[in-house]
Structure formats: C-alpha cells, structure tokens
Amino acid sequence: MKKVLSALATLLLILCCGCSTGYREIERGYFVTAVGIQERENKIQIILETLSASDREPGSESVKILYGEGESLSDAYGNIKKSLVKSLYFEQCGVIAADNGFTENEISEILDFCNDLETLNIDVYVVRTDNAEALFETETAYKSVGYSIIELMKNSGSYDNAENQLYNIRKRYAGGSAEKLPSVNVKNDTLILE
C-alpha cells in the first residue's frame, strides 16, 4: 500500500510541476513585437504592438495595439501594465521606434529604459519616425509593424548592422557619441526607410 501511495504522490508531484522552463503560451500573455515612444502635450506616450491569441478563434493570433500615457516612461508603461490582465513578454520585440522630436539625451534615456524592460532581447532595431502613432496604425503586408520594419531593413541591406543594436547604441551614447538612427515613416500607407 505504501508503494502505491508513494507512486501516486510522485505522479501527482510531476503533474503539478509541469513544464515551466521558460516556455510561454501565447494565451497567457501579450508578445510585444514593437515599441513606439512619443511625446504629446508634455506627456510621454508608449505604444506597444502585441501579438495575442484571439478570444474568438482558438489557435488564431491577432495584432493588438496598446497605449499608455504618463509624466515619464515608467508612468506610461505602468499605466499599460495596470490595464492588462495578461503579462507582457518582450522576447519577440524587434523594433523600438522613437519620435523624431526627442533630443539625443532623451533618446539615451529611452534606450536605458527599454534595456531594462523584462525579457527584452538586445537584438532590437532602433529607428526614429516622424509620427510613432501613425506608424503603428499603418496596415502593412505583415500585419505587424515590427516585423514589417525588420523586413524593410533586410530588403534595404541595413539589417546587417542591426545585430545587438540596442546594446551597441547604448554603449555609444554612454561613451558620449550619439548614434545616427535610421528613420522609418509612412507615405501613402506604405512604410519607407529615409
């Protein structure tokens, strides 16, 4: 009887533990594919393009845009997190798009903030844009602005320089020399690299 109870307890322990080695199901959260940051009326706005499972069709994925506003980057991001039931995961984030209105010092602060985001991969392409909100509202071939910008970079040959770009740009800013960022904008509902 003790052997049966011991075997049963072991089986229950294995079932309760499950696989929790970093695997994240898309139903449990939002996977961020791109981050947009802009300033509007003396407030910072963060725009997150996310991929999430559709509630209507199990197994289907949809792009959802999340907005947060605040006095600082932390406030804006905190307001997004407060409004969500699911978690945010940044492993799939490929692009950070900062508005052209930011000074070099503000870009440096943005890079520091983004570098501290949980689970952000450092292989992130950093670009500037005339209007981050318009960029994220554009209907693109890939239905994800983040993936579309990466594809745009690949096609233009600029993507080769994107390896560990967030880390490299932060290092250059920390060293006192500003990095000239590529600019991606929207014209006629098309993303263009300027």
Side-chain angles (χ1 to χ4, degrees):
M1 184 69 169
K2 285 183 182 179
K3 287 183 181 178
V4 172
L5 288 174
S6 177
L8 200 61
T10 303
L11 181 62
L12 283 172
L13 184 62
I14 290 169
L15 290 173
C16 288
C17 292
C19 296
S20 60
T21 56
Y23 174 75
R24 293 187 164 91
E25 291 181 33
I26 197 165
E27 289 83 12
R28 293 186 185 169
Y30 294 100
F31 285 89
V32 178
T33 53
V35 176
I37 300 174
Q38 63 185 8
E39 187 174 8
R40 293 289 179 264
E41 298 173 9
N42 295 326
K43 297 233 182 205
I44 296 292
Q45 186 178 45
I46 295 181
I47 306 164
L48 300 180
E49 180 186 65
T50 66
L51 190 63
S52 65
S54 171
D55 295 331
R56 291 174 295 225
E57 298 177 33
S60 67
E61 298 160 355
S62 62
V63 172
K64 182 174 183 175
I65 308 295
L66 306 173
Y67 296 89
E69 195 173 82
E71 299 296 322
S72 67
L73 288 163
S74 297
D75 288 346
Y77 181 63
N79 288 333
I80 291 176
K81 285 184 78 170
K82 277 188 232 171
S83 69
L84 299 176
V85 176
K86 296 179 180 182
S87 298
L88 291 167
Y89 301 116
F90 289 85
E91 291 102 331
Q92 301 299 317
C93 183
V95 173
I96 296 167
D99 221 46
N100 275 327
F102 288 116
T103 65
E104 300 303 327
N105 285 338
E106 289 170 327
I107 290 287
S108 186
E109 288 174 24
I110 288 168
L111 295 175
D112 286 339
F113 172 80
C114 289
N115 193 56
D116 292 337
L117 288 173
E118 306 140 30
T119 70
L120 180 71
N121 184 342
I122 61 169
D123 291 330
V124 175
Y125 207 76
V126 183
V127 299
R128 294 191 99 161
T129 184
D130 286 340
N131 185 336
E133 196 167 7
L135 187 71
F136 281 81
E137 290 173 356
T138 305
E139 187 72 31
T140 63
Y142 294 89
K143 297 198 175 178
S144 160
V145 170
Y147 295 155
S148 297
I149 289 174
I150 290 171
E151 196 61 30
L152 183 66
M153 298 299 163
K154 281 182 184 175
N155 291 339
S156 70
S158 304
Y159 189 72
D160 296 338
N161 303 328
E163 213 171 322
N164 298 325
Q165 193 184 12
L166 177 61
Y167 172 77
N168 288 334
I169 288 173
R170 270 195 77 239
K171 205 165 148 186
R172 287 191 185 119
Y173 270 95
S177 60
E179 176 72 17
K180 177 141 174 57
L181 300 175
S183 185
V184 175
N185 288 301
V186 181
K187 286 204 176 140
N188 300 328
D189 231 16
T190 306
L191 296 180
I192 59 160
L193 180 63
E194 295 174 338

